[in-house]
Amino acid sequence: MSAYEVVPVRAFSDNYIWTLRDESRAAVVDPGDAQPVIDYLEREGLELVAIVNTHHHADHVGGNARLLSRWKVPVFGPHDDRIPDVTRRVGDGDRVTLPHFDVALDVMEIPGHTRSHLSFSGDGMLFCGDTLFAVGCGRLFEGTPRQMHESLSRLAQLADDTRVYCGHEYTLSNIRFAKALEPDNAALLALEQRAAAQRERDLPTLPTDIGQEKATNPFLRVTEPQVVAAASTYAGRALEGPVDVLAAIREWKNNY
Ligand code: ZN
Ligand code: FE
């Protein structure tokens, strides 16, 4: 495995196109827009070697075609015709190896945000698209609260120091919501200080890590008494079980 680093290429208002790179090559995750990727690769003198897609939304795949017209590279993505550019369709339990970098990534199917959403994890990293965000999770466009709970629970089983590369910079607004549920969560309040300072300097708050998410993310904390109580107050009834709690706080967040 060659030495590489992971850098964010910004797209649209708050997307990150995570880019593995060394001195000559790059692989990109979820290139929703080709132009910022091309600009970055040209500026840095890099050739593209692979594209990874977590899910079919345009802000994650919209740049595939233009990148492929310039670089003939494999595209790893889900079994879903809505991403026609995928050349290597993968599912739960598959392992992909990024060419050149020789980095192995394990594939998990993590439905909830969309029905065919994937995550890719390996070498201490997790690329999870719009399923797990720092202190939040994706909207349930094509999945159920149960699916999202199961998907998040699988991600939470990764090692605490796994770096989590999410698709969007949503951290500060997610923290505002999380504080409504757990106003006294010390890890959350400490994170808010750090994240606010980073955003003030226009720096990403990502990657987060699994340990930090377990300590701060209400969607991973659906059995914490304070989260259950807050969700029950919102729902107007005593909620029982993590799926009902997740459903309630996801709906609450949608309207927050
Ligand atoms: Zn999405
Ligand atoms: Fe997105």
Side-chain angles (χ1 to χ4, degrees), residues 15 30 54-60 113-114 117 129-131 133 138-139 141 168 170:
N15 281 73
D30 286 350
T54 63
H55 68 294
H56 75 284
H57 284 157
D59 65 311
H60 298 254
H113 178 63
T114 69
H117 201 301
D130 290 356
T131 297
F133 293 123
R139 286 174 184 259
F141 287 123
H168 293 267
Y170 290 159

